Amino acid sequence: MFIIMYIRFKHIDSGETKDVKMGFSWPTLFFGFLNPLFKGDIKWAIIMFVLTIATFGVAWLFFPFVYNLFYMSSLLRKGFIAYDENGYPIDRLNKNNKVNEVNKVTQ
């Protein structure tokens, strides 16, 4: 039996929330660069498109294993905070977040 784990990300200013699945990305396997494009992750959509063309499709098989990790990293850089299923911040993911640096200065 497989356990599917999602991490909820909440933006510190706008309150926008996004749920991101950990691990393998099935939508990326089936839809390739369209998955990040639909999520608004333009940077990775372009990178995936270019690398898929340059490697004659081999990169298409690589990205499903790593895209969710790349997407989570980009959300953290944009000011989102990671929370677990109980609503507590995940310190291990948030430790390198720019928002934590600001909070340390203001305290």
Side-chain angles (χ1 to χ4, degrees), residues 53-87:
I53 298 297
T55 62
F56 300 103
V58 174
W60 192 297
L61 300 174
F62 166 74
F63 279 110
F65 292 97
V66 295
Y67 174 66
N68 285 340
L69 179 64
F70 293 156
Y71 184 56
M72 285 188 278
S73 297
S74 69
L75 288 177
L76 289 171
R77 276 187 251 110
K78 290 179 183 177
F80 283 80
I81 301 293
Y83 292 92
D84 65 9
E85 61 274 357
N86 297 321

Short mmCIF file of all heavy atoms in Angstrom, two decimals, residues 53-87:
data_model
loop_
_atom_site.label_atom_id
_atom_site.label_comp_id
_atom_site.label_asym_id
_atom_site.label_seq_id
_atom_site.Cartn_x
_atom_site.Cartn_y
_atom_site.Cartn_z
N ILE A 53 13.49 18.85 -25.99
CA ILE A 53 13.86 18.96 -27.41
C ILE A 53 15.34 18.63 -27.61
O ILE A 53 15.71 17.87 -28.51
CB ILE A 53 13.56 20.39 -27.94
CG1 ILE A 53 12.07 20.69 -27.85
CG2 ILE A 53 14.07 20.57 -29.36
CD1 ILE A 53 11.18 19.81 -28.70
N ALA A 54 16.20 19.16 -26.73
CA ALA A 54 17.65 18.97 -26.88
C ALA A 54 18.07 17.52 -26.68
O ALA A 54 19.04 17.07 -27.28
CB ALA A 54 18.40 19.87 -25.90
N THR A 55 17.33 16.77 -25.84
CA THR A 55 17.71 15.37 -25.57
C THR A 55 16.83 14.39 -26.32
O THR A 55 16.85 13.19 -26.02
CB THR A 55 17.61 15.07 -24.06
OG1 THR A 55 16.26 15.25 -23.64
CG2 THR A 55 18.56 15.95 -23.26
N PHE A 56 16.07 14.88 -27.29
CA PHE A 56 15.19 14.04 -28.10
C PHE A 56 14.22 13.24 -27.24
O PHE A 56 13.92 12.07 -27.51
CB PHE A 56 15.99 13.10 -29.01
CG PHE A 56 16.89 13.83 -29.96
CD1 PHE A 56 18.25 13.91 -29.72
CD2 PHE A 56 16.38 14.46 -31.07
CE1 PHE A 56 19.09 14.59 -30.58
CE2 PHE A 56 17.20 15.15 -31.95
CZ PHE A 56 18.57 15.22 -31.70
N GLY A 57 13.72 13.85 -26.17
CA GLY A 57 12.69 13.25 -25.33
C GLY A 57 13.18 12.50 -24.11
O GLY A 57 12.38 12.08 -23.29
N VAL A 58 14.48 12.32 -23.96
CA VAL A 58 15.00 11.58 -22.82
C VAL A 58 14.73 12.33 -21.51
O VAL A 58 14.41 11.71 -20.49
CB VAL A 58 16.51 11.29 -22.98
CG1 VAL A 58 17.09 10.64 -21.74
CG2 VAL A 58 16.74 10.42 -24.20
N ALA A 59 14.81 13.65 -21.53
CA ALA A 59 14.56 14.45 -20.33
C ALA A 59 13.13 14.28 -19.84
O ALA A 59 12.86 14.42 -18.64
CB ALA A 59 14.85 15.92 -20.60
N TRP A 60 12.21 13.94 -20.75
CA TRP A 60 10.80 13.73 -20.38
C TRP A 60 10.69 12.62 -19.33
O TRP A 60 9.81 12.64 -18.49
CB TRP A 60 10.01 13.37 -21.62
CG TRP A 60 8.52 13.40 -21.48
CD1 TRP A 60 7.75 12.61 -20.67
CD2 TRP A 60 7.62 14.24 -22.16
NE1 TRP A 60 6.43 12.91 -20.81
CE2 TRP A 60 6.32 13.91 -21.74
CE3 TRP A 60 7.78 15.25 -23.11
CZ2 TRP A 60 5.18 14.55 -22.22
CZ3 TRP A 60 6.65 15.87 -23.59
CH2 TRP A 60 5.37 15.52 -23.13
N LEU A 61 11.58 11.65 -19.39
CA LEU A 61 11.57 10.53 -18.45
C LEU A 61 12.26 10.87 -17.13
O LEU A 61 12.06 10.19 -16.12
CB LEU A 61 12.24 9.31 -19.08
CG LEU A 61 11.57 8.80 -20.35
CD1 LEU A 61 12.39 7.68 -20.96
CD2 LEU A 61 10.16 8.35 -20.08
N PHE A 62 13.09 11.91 -17.11
CA PHE A 62 13.81 12.31 -15.91
C PHE A 62 12.97 13.22 -15.00
O PHE A 62 12.96 13.05 -13.79
CB PHE A 62 15.11 13.03 -16.32
CG PHE A 62 15.78 13.78 -15.21
CD1 PHE A 62 16.47 13.11 -14.21
CD2 PHE A 62 15.72 15.16 -15.15
CE1 PHE A 62 17.09 13.80 -13.18
CE2 PHE A 62 16.32 15.86 -14.13
CZ PHE A 62 17.01 15.17 -13.13
N PHE A 63 12.28 14.17 -15.60
CA PHE A 63 11.59 15.21 -14.83
C PHE A 63 10.48 14.72 -13.90
O PHE A 63 10.28 15.32 -12.85
CB PHE A 63 11.09 16.32 -15.74
CG PHE A 63 12.15 17.29 -16.11
CD1 PHE A 63 12.64 17.35 -17.40
CD2 PHE A 63 12.68 18.15 -15.17
CE1 PHE A 63 13.63 18.24 -17.74
CE2 PHE A 63 13.68 19.05 -15.50
CZ PHE A 63 14.15 19.10 -16.79
N PRO A 64 9.74 13.66 -14.21
CA PRO A 64 8.72 13.22 -13.24
C PRO A 64 9.29 12.85 -11.87
O PRO A 64 8.58 12.94 -10.86
CB PRO A 64 8.09 12.00 -13.91
CG PRO A 64 8.31 12.21 -15.35
CD PRO A 64 9.63 12.91 -15.46
N PHE A 65 10.53 12.47 -11.81
CA PHE A 65 11.15 12.09 -10.54
C PHE A 65 11.57 13.29 -9.69
O PHE A 65 11.71 13.17 -8.49
CB PHE A 65 12.37 11.19 -10.78
CG PHE A 65 12.00 9.85 -11.33
CD1 PHE A 65 12.07 9.61 -12.69
CD2 PHE A 65 11.57 8.84 -10.50
CE1 PHE A 65 11.72 8.37 -13.22
CE2 PHE A 65 11.22 7.60 -11.00
CZ PHE A 65 11.30 7.37 -12.37
N VAL A 66 11.77 14.45 -10.32
CA VAL A 66 12.33 15.59 -9.60
C VAL A 66 11.48 16.86 -9.65
O VAL A 66 11.74 17.80 -8.90
CB VAL A 66 13.75 15.92 -10.11
CG1 VAL A 66 14.71 14.80 -9.80
CG2 VAL A 66 13.74 16.25 -11.59
N TYR A 67 10.46 16.90 -10.50
CA TYR A 67 9.75 18.17 -10.68
C TYR A 67 9.07 18.65 -9.40
O TYR A 67 9.11 19.85 -9.09
CB TYR A 67 8.72 18.10 -11.81
CG TYR A 67 7.91 19.37 -11.86
CD1 TYR A 67 8.53 20.57 -12.20
CD2 TYR A 67 6.59 19.40 -11.46
CE1 TYR A 67 7.83 21.77 -12.18
CE2 TYR A 67 5.88 20.59 -11.44
CZ TYR A 67 6.52 21.76 -11.80
OH TYR A 67 5.82 22.95 -11.77
N ASN A 68 8.42 17.78 -8.64
CA ASN A 68 7.74 18.24 -7.42
C ASN A 68 8.72 18.87 -6.44
O ASN A 68 8.39 19.84 -5.77
CB ASN A 68 6.98 17.08 -6.76
CG ASN A 68 5.71 16.73 -7.51
OD1 ASN A 68 5.19 17.53 -8.28
ND2 ASN A 68 5.22 15.53 -7.30
N LEU A 69 9.91 18.34 -6.36
CA LEU A 69 10.94 18.93 -5.50
C LEU A 69 11.33 20.33 -5.99
O LEU A 69 11.44 21.27 -5.20
CB LEU A 69 12.17 18.03 -5.45
CG LEU A 69 13.33 18.51 -4.61
CD1 LEU A 69 12.94 18.59 -3.14
CD2 LEU A 69 14.51 17.58 -4.77
N PHE A 70 11.51 20.47 -7.31
CA PHE A 70 11.83 21.78 -7.89
C PHE A 70 10.70 22.77 -7.63
O PHE A 70 10.94 23.94 -7.32
CB PHE A 70 12.08 21.68 -9.39
CG PHE A 70 13.30 20.91 -9.77
CD1 PHE A 70 13.39 20.31 -11.02
CD2 PHE A 70 14.37 20.76 -8.90
CE1 PHE A 70 14.52 19.61 -11.39
CE2 PHE A 70 15.49 20.05 -9.27
CZ PHE A 70 15.57 19.48 -10.51
N TYR A 71 9.46 22.31 -7.76
CA TYR A 71 8.30 23.18 -7.56
C TYR A 71 8.20 23.64 -6.11
O TYR A 71 7.95 24.82 -5.83
CB TYR A 71 7.03 22.45 -7.99
CG TYR A 71 5.78 23.28 -7.93
CD1 TYR A 71 5.68 24.49 -8.62
CD2 TYR A 71 4.67 22.86 -7.21
CE1 TYR A 71 4.53 25.25 -8.58
CE2 TYR A 71 3.52 23.62 -7.16
CZ TYR A 71 3.45 24.81 -7.85
OH TYR A 71 2.32 25.57 -7.80
N MET A 72 8.44 22.72 -5.16
CA MET A 72 8.42 23.09 -3.75
C MET A 72 9.51 24.12 -3.44
O MET A 72 9.27 25.08 -2.70
CB MET A 72 8.60 21.86 -2.86
CG MET A 72 7.37 21.00 -2.78
SD MET A 72 7.50 19.69 -1.57
CE MET A 72 8.41 18.47 -2.48
N SER A 73 10.69 23.94 -4.00
CA SER A 73 11.78 24.88 -3.78
C SER A 73 11.43 26.26 -4.31
O SER A 73 11.72 27.28 -3.66
CB SER A 73 13.06 24.38 -4.44
OG SER A 73 13.47 23.18 -3.87
N SER A 74 10.80 26.31 -5.47
CA SER A 74 10.44 27.62 -6.04
C SER A 74 9.35 28.30 -5.20
O SER A 74 9.36 29.52 -5.04
CB SER A 74 10.01 27.49 -7.49
OG SER A 74 8.79 26.81 -7.61
N LEU A 75 8.43 27.51 -4.64
CA LEU A 75 7.40 28.11 -3.77
C LEU A 75 8.03 28.70 -2.51
O LEU A 75 7.66 29.78 -2.06
CB LEU A 75 6.35 27.07 -3.39
CG LEU A 75 5.38 26.65 -4.49
CD1 LEU A 75 4.45 25.55 -3.98
CD2 LEU A 75 4.59 27.82 -5.02
N LEU A 76 8.99 27.98 -1.93
CA LEU A 76 9.67 28.49 -0.73
C LEU A 76 10.41 29.79 -1.03
O LEU A 76 10.42 30.72 -0.22
CB LEU A 76 10.62 27.44 -0.17
CG LEU A 76 9.96 26.23 0.48
CD1 LEU A 76 10.99 25.16 0.79
CD2 LEU A 76 9.20 26.63 1.73
N ARG A 77 11.03 29.87 -2.21
CA ARG A 77 11.74 31.10 -2.59
C ARG A 77 10.79 32.27 -2.83
O ARG A 77 11.17 33.43 -2.70
CB ARG A 77 12.59 30.86 -3.84
CG ARG A 77 13.94 30.26 -3.50
CD ARG A 77 14.85 30.19 -4.71
NE ARG A 77 14.97 28.79 -5.06
CZ ARG A 77 14.45 28.20 -6.14
NH1 ARG A 77 13.80 28.91 -7.02
NH2 ARG A 77 14.58 26.92 -6.36
N LYS A 78 9.54 31.97 -3.18
CA LYS A 78 8.55 33.01 -3.45
C LYS A 78 7.86 33.50 -2.18
O LYS A 78 6.97 34.34 -2.24
CB LYS A 78 7.50 32.51 -4.43
CG LYS A 78 8.02 32.32 -5.82
CD LYS A 78 6.93 31.79 -6.73
CE LYS A 78 7.46 31.52 -8.12
NZ LYS A 78 6.42 30.93 -8.98
N GLY A 79 8.23 32.95 -1.02
CA GLY A 79 7.65 33.42 0.23
C GLY A 79 6.57 32.54 0.80
O GLY A 79 5.84 32.96 1.71
N PHE A 80 6.42 31.33 0.30
CA PHE A 80 5.45 30.40 0.86
C PHE A 80 6.08 29.68 2.06
O PHE A 80 7.28 29.49 2.13
CB PHE A 80 5.04 29.35 -0.18
CG PHE A 80 4.06 29.86 -1.21
CD1 PHE A 80 4.50 30.62 -2.28
CD2 PHE A 80 2.72 29.58 -1.10
CE1 PHE A 80 3.62 31.08 -3.23
CE2 PHE A 80 1.82 30.03 -2.05
CZ PHE A 80 2.27 30.79 -3.11
N ILE A 81 5.24 29.30 3.02
CA ILE A 81 5.66 28.55 4.19
C ILE A 81 5.06 27.15 4.08
O ILE A 81 3.87 27.00 3.76
CB ILE A 81 5.17 29.21 5.49
CG1 ILE A 81 5.71 30.63 5.60
CG2 ILE A 81 5.55 28.39 6.71
CD1 ILE A 81 7.20 30.71 5.80
N ALA A 82 5.86 26.10 4.35
CA ALA A 82 5.39 24.72 4.27
C ALA A 82 4.77 24.30 5.60
O ALA A 82 5.32 24.57 6.66
CB ALA A 82 6.56 23.81 3.93
N TYR A 83 3.60 23.64 5.52
CA TYR A 83 2.90 23.14 6.70
C TYR A 83 2.62 21.65 6.53
O TYR A 83 2.40 21.17 5.41
CB TYR A 83 1.55 23.87 6.88
CG TYR A 83 1.71 25.32 7.24
CD1 TYR A 83 1.76 26.30 6.26
CD2 TYR A 83 1.83 25.70 8.56
CE1 TYR A 83 1.90 27.63 6.59
CE2 TYR A 83 1.98 27.04 8.91
CZ TYR A 83 2.01 27.99 7.91
OH TYR A 83 2.16 29.30 8.25
N ASP A 84 2.60 20.92 7.65
CA ASP A 84 2.27 19.50 7.60
C ASP A 84 0.75 19.33 7.63
O ASP A 84 -0.01 20.30 7.61
CB ASP A 84 2.94 18.73 8.74
CG ASP A 84 2.45 19.13 10.11
OD1 ASP A 84 1.47 19.90 10.21
OD2 ASP A 84 3.06 18.67 11.09
N GLU A 85 0.30 18.07 7.68
CA GLU A 85 -1.14 17.80 7.61
C GLU A 85 -1.90 18.28 8.85
O GLU A 85 -3.11 18.43 8.82
CB GLU A 85 -1.40 16.31 7.39
CG GLU A 85 -0.88 15.40 8.49
CD GLU A 85 0.57 15.00 8.32
OE1 GLU A 85 1.20 15.36 7.31
OE2 GLU A 85 1.10 14.34 9.21
N ASN A 86 -1.19 18.56 9.93
CA ASN A 86 -1.83 19.07 11.15
C ASN A 86 -1.81 20.59 11.24
O ASN A 86 -2.28 21.16 12.22
CB ASN A 86 -1.14 18.48 12.39
CG ASN A 86 -1.30 16.98 12.44
OD1 ASN A 86 -2.36 16.45 12.11
ND2 ASN A 86 -0.25 16.29 12.83
N GLY A 87 -1.22 21.25 10.26
CA GLY A 87 -1.19 22.70 10.24
C GLY A 87 0.02 23.33 10.92
O GLY A 87 0.05 24.53 11.13
#
